[in-house]
Amino acid sequence: MDKLEMLNSFKQRFQENLNPSLQSIKYCQTVNSAILELQFLNDPETKSIDLKFIGGEITTNEDGSYEDMLPLFNPDADIVDNAKLFLELDDYSLIMCIDDVLSQETIEHIVSRHEQTKK
């Protein structure tokens, strides 16, 4: 399994809004899967999240009906390209997909801002 540490990239993007107990965030991939590994201060267990639930392109069959949703992270693609896709998720998508990366206050702010734009 290939792994790419992304903590510094997340620190650059989110600065003080990052969960302060987050010690490591690794994008991992094999030929069949994409996984995120999170490590937190004072927690010996690594939290692993299979990213297959995050969809990308929707495919249709010959009559134009919905057929399937391709995963956003293609295990055949370069790990750096996939990690970059993950890092580029918008704030709301990120918090809807992955818990505990951002501080609770930041999460609440993002949700509030998202709800305001829906009105």
Side-chain angles (χ1 to χ4, degrees), residues 21-84:
S21 67
L22 183 64
Q23 298 296 300
S24 174
I25 180 168
K26 292 180 182 161
Y27 178 86
C28 312
Q29 74 181 32
T30 67
V31 294
N32 299 316
S33 64
I35 298 167
L36 197 65
E37 289 183 352
L38 305 172
Q39 185 68 50
F40 297 93
L41 187 65
N42 299 325
D43 188 353
E45 297 292 320
T46 298
K47 182 178 180 179
S48 295
I49 302 165
D50 190 332
L51 299 176
K52 68 181 172 190
F53 71 94
I54 302 176
E57 182 181 342
I58 296 174
T59 60
T60 55
N61 59 21
E62 292 174 356
D63 66 2
S65 300
Y66 167 79
E67 188 171 53
D68 199 3
M69 184 181 305
L70 299 175
L72 180 61
F73 308 105
N74 178 357
D76 292 331
D78 184 76
I79 188 171
V80 174
D81 293 337
N82 279 333
K84 185 178 176 191

Side-chain angles (χ1 to χ4, degrees), residues 75-92:
D76 292 331
D78 184 76
I79 188 171
V80 174
D81 293 337
N82 279 333
K84 185 178 176 191
L85 276 177
F86 180 75
L87 185 63
E88 291 174 348
L89 287 173
D90 65 84
D91 294 352
Y92 187 75

